[in-house]
């Protein structure tokens, strides 16, 4: 019997949201731990130049993954709305069209990326000592793009159907394999040759491929509702209505991640101008910041899935409740991570840097400046996740573009002659605060409830009175009521 999708349109909102987001959070943390363990092998045993190389190459990888983020989110929302409306046939049509689209796109990117690795890294100003290492690493990462994209798509589809546990299980398989294979392929053990920094990328490719195969076999064995077998081959034919929704709604959402990635790459280019020590310190701090993003990203993804199902079911009271609970959980979980990452930053940052490295003091300084901004980032991410569930994708894009390219990048660029590298570090909290204020203002006064994803309106007309802004716990860093009063109406 086919496995039924999970219902997020009933039951306690807070409990369901937390239970749904915990596997996502655990998976994100596991991925970050995986990246951190790999960084330990690279940084401590291959040196600072190698760590700088992976920091530069990984920025491009995150850009590539972020470039399809929007299509994955569009799939999640379309599937979630269909599940909420009890239209399983539509959900399966979305899966077929999305799978064909993702596979074709990933193959093109893999081929182009193999040849473009060197020019991209050179354009970023990757230090000369790190450039050949980064190129060797990045070329293999490009080969891994089809499996990375396919796994990301299946994860998005399953979450739209209310299932966050199955992707988590197979993500853990990938992480475990990656951790084991990294030293084996970097240093050469048993029958495997020593591949150096490229071995770390090969470990990612092999681990991700095996995990994807396992997930596909699992879905087939369980006869999952979203599994498309031989009898469903017709569903892989592109449905132009669904494809249009994926592109029209997915491109703006993807552009959000692209804008983030491009700003990170540009900031990395600025950091590179200050030499290897600053680049290595920044790369080490990024390892800690990955963990700070995890709660907000997990809760935001959970909010999108839960809100989408409730939009499909026309349960607007639960959409509002999802937003309130999401912001609350962001403050609790992100705040709980900030304290230990400040108190034990020397010991944690030292994991990624050679003993007595000058980069350690640089990393500690910039970490103290930036770390509080992730509370602001979390609110924006959660609110955007709820807003996008209706199909309102342009205003969050404009808010992000304004905060990053209207505030963060100019702030860092223009103030460097006066503050030096500190201008880069302070650009993070300033721009994150602006993003939070604008996101809260749009949630309160914006027209996101009128949006639709595809075809007919995706919800009943409940437009008379804008819902209240989600409640936030008191915080010494950000008072949401004060933030709302400061935000300009949109």
């Amino acid at each position: 019997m086919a496995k039924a999708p999970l219902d997020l349109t009933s039951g306690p909102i807070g409990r369901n949201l937390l239970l749904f987001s915990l596997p996502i959070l655990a998976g994100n943390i596991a991925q970050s731990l995986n990246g951190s363990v790999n960084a330990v092998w690279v940084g401590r045993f291959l040196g600072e130049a190698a760590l700088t190389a992976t920091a530069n190459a990984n920025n491009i990888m995150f850009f590539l993954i972020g470039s399809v983020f929007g299509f994955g989110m569009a799939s999640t929302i379309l599937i979630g709305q269909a599940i909420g409306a009890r239209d399983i046939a539509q959900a399966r049509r979305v899966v077929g069209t999305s799978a064909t689209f993702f596979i074709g796109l990933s193959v093109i990117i893999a081929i182009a990326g193999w040849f473009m690795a060197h020019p991209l890294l050179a354009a970023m100003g990757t230090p000369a000592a790190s450039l050949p290492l980064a190129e060797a690493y990045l070329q293999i990462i490009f080969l891994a793009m089809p499996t990375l994209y396919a796994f990301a798509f299946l994860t998005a589809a399953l979450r739209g159907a209310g299932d966050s546990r199955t992707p988590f299980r197979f993500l853990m398989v990938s992480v475990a394999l990656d951790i084991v294979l990294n030293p084996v392929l970097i240093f050469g053990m048993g029958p495997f040759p020593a591949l150096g920094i490229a071995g770390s990328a090969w470990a990612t490719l092999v681990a991700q491929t095996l995990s994807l195969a396992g997930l596909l076999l699992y879905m087939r064995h369980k006869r999952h509702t979203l599994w498309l077998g031989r009898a469903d081959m017709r569903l892989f034919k592109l449905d132009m209505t669904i494809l249009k929704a994926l592109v029209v709604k997915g491109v703006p959402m993807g552009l959000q991640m692209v804008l983030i990635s491009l700003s990170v790459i540009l900031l990395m280019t600025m950091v590179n101008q200050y030499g290897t020590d600053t680049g290595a310190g920044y790369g080490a701090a990024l390892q800690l910041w990955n963990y700070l993003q995890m709660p907000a990203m997990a809760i935001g993804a959970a909010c999108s899935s839960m809100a989408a199902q409730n939009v499909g079911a026309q349960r607007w009271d639960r959409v509002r409740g999802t937003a309130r609970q999401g912001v609350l959980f962001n403050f609790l979980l992100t705040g709980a991570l900030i304290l230990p990452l400040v108190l034990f930053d020397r010991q944690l940052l030292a994991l990624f840097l050679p003993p007595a490295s000058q980069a350690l003091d640089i990393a500690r300084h910039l970490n103290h400046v930036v770390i509080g901004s992730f509370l602001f980032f979390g609110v924006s991410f959660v609110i955007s996740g709820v807003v996008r569930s209706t199909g309102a994708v342009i205003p969050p894009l404009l808010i992000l573009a304004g905060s990053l390219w209207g505030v963060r990048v100019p702030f860092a660029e223009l103030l460097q002659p006066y503050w030096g590298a500190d201008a880069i570090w302070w650009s993070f909290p300033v721009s994150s605060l602006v993003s939070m204020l604008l996101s809260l203002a749009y949630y309160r006064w914006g027209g996101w409830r009128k949006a639709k994803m595809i075809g007919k309106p995706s919800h009943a007309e409940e437009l008379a009175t804008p819902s209240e802004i989600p409640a936030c716990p008191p915080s010494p860093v950000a008072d949401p009521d004060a933030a709302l009063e400061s935000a300009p109406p949109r």
Side-chain angles (χ1 to χ4, degrees):
M1 183 176 181
K3 184 177 180 180
L6 302 181
D7 184 8
L8 299 176
T9 63
S10 61
I13 295 175
R15 178 178 179 275
N16 287 350
L17 181 63
L18 184 61
L19 292 177
F20 187 79
S21 63
L22 283 178
I24 303 175
L25 175 58
N28 290 343
I29 292 175
Q31 284 183 304
S32 292
L33 282 171
N34 181 28
S36 298
V37 171
N38 295 348
V40 170
W41 288 115
V42 172
R44 291 185 67 86
F45 294 96
L46 299 182
E48 290 163 318
L51 183 62
T52 302
T54 57
N56 280 269
N58 282 335
N59 280 332
I60 295 177
M61 181 181 72
F62 297 146
F63 166 78
L64 292 171
I65 294 175
S67 66
V68 297
F69 167 84
F71 302 126
M73 283 302 306
S75 298
T76 297
I77 295 168
L78 286 170
I79 292 171
Q81 289 187 1
I83 295 297
R86 305 298 190 266
D87 189 349
I88 303 300
Q90 172 68 2
R92 288 165 60 81
R93 284 192 292 270
V94 174
V95 170
T97 293
S98 300
T100 300
F101 179 71
F102 267 80
I103 292 171
L105 183 62
S106 65
V107 171
I108 293 172
I109 290 176
I111 295 172
W114 175 270
F115 297 101
M116 292 296 295
H118 182 88
L120 288 172
L121 291 165
M124 286 176 60
T126 304
S130 301
L131 183 55
L133 298 171
E135 181 180 359
Y137 178 88
L138 185 59
Q139 282 187 319
I140 307 305
I141 290 297
F142 272 117
L143 293 182
M145 281 298 116
T147 53
L148 287 168
Y149 276 18
F151 192 88
F153 158 65
L154 283 176
T155 296
L158 290 170
R159 287 175 181 171
D163 183 2
S164 61
R165 294 183 181 182
T166 298
F168 167 69
R169 295 189 186 105
F170 287 92
L171 176 61
M172 292 304 294
V173 172
S174 175
V175 167
L177 287 172
D178 201 351
I179 290 175
V180 171
L181 290 174
N182 250 270
V184 171
L185 298 181
I186 289 175
F187 306 114
M189 297 180 183
F192 300 99
L195 300 176
I197 194 172
S200 182
W202 274 109
T204 298
L205 189 156
V206 173
Q208 194 70 53
T209 300
L210 293 176
S211 181
L212 173 63
L215 177 56
L216 290 171
L217 290 173
Y218 174 85
M219 292 180 66
R220 178 187 179 189
H221 175 70
K222 292 294 184 179
R223 297 177 60 195
H224 196 285
T225 301
L226 300 184
W227 168 255
L228 304 181
R230 294 180 182 177
D232 305 303
M233 294 303 293
R234 69 189 185 282
L235 296 179
F236 288 103
K237 181 180 179 181
L238 292 175
D239 183 311
M240 291 298 108
T241 302
I242 294 174
L243 182 61
K244 179 181 177 182
L246 288 175
V247 174
V248 171
K249 300 299 183 178
V251 167
M253 288 189 284
L255 281 176
Q256 293 183 54
M257 300 304 292
V258 170
L259 288 175
I260 293 173
S261 299
L262 286 176
S263 70
V264 170
I265 290 173
L266 182 56
L267 291 177
M268 189 76 218
T269 302
M270 296 180 190
V271 170
N272 286 334
Q273 297 173 4
Y274 292 90
T276 301
D277 284 339
T278 301
Y282 183 57
L286 285 173
Q287 294 297 325
L288 298 188
W289 299 346
N290 284 338
Y291 295 100
L292 286 177
Q293 297 178 70
M294 294 303 101
M297 295 178 70
I299 296 166
C303 284
S304 285
S305 298
M306 178 173 281
Q309 285 199 18
N310 283 286
V311 168
Q314 302 181 19
R315 291 295 308 274
W316 287 87
D317 57 321
R318 294 181 63 85
V319 174
R320 292 193 297 271
T322 298
R324 287 193 296 269
Q325 293 295 324
V327 170
L328 172 63
F329 288 146
N330 164 70
F331 271 90
L332 292 176
L333 296 178
T334 303
L337 283 178
I338 287 178
L339 185 59
L341 291 181
V342 170
L343 293 177
F344 304 105
D345 63 334
R346 177 179 290 277
Q347 294 85 347
L348 294 170
L349 290 166
L351 293 173
F352 312 110
L353 296 166
S357 171
Q358 294 182 358
L360 180 57
D361 288 336
I362 296 173
R364 293 189 68 211
H365 168 68
L366 66 92
N367 181 58
H368 291 164
V369 173
V370 173
I371 197 167
S373 65
F374 288 95
L375 281 173
F376 309 148
F377 161 82
V379 175
S380 299
F381 205 88
V382 169
I383 293 300
S384 294
V386 174
V387 165
R388 285 195 302 260
S389 70
T390 64
V393 295
I394 297 299
L397 172 63
L398 296 178
I399 290 171
L400 184 70
S403 62
L404 288 182
W405 293 91
V407 179
R408 179 174 296 182
V409 171
F411 188 101
E413 184 71 40
L414 296 176
L415 292 181
Q416 278 186 77
Y418 308 99
W419 293 3
D422 273 358
I424 302 174
W425 318 142
W426 278 104
S427 70
F428 282 84
V430 172
S431 59
S432 296
L433 177 61
V434 170
S435 177
M436 183 186 73
L437 296 178
L438 293 177
S439 296
L440 293 174
Y442 179 68
Y443 178 89
R444 178 63 177 85
W445 292 297
W448 58 278
R449 300 165 190 82
K450 300 177 183 178
K452 59 182 180 179
M453 279 294 292
I454 188 171
K456 61 183 180 180
S458 60
H459 58 276
E461 299 297 321
E462 187 202 83
L463 310 173
T465 305
S467 59
E468 295 180 358
I469 194 164
C472 301
S475 169
V477 180
D479 180 348
D481 293 330
L484 179 58
E485 292 172 3
S486 304
R490 290 184 66 82

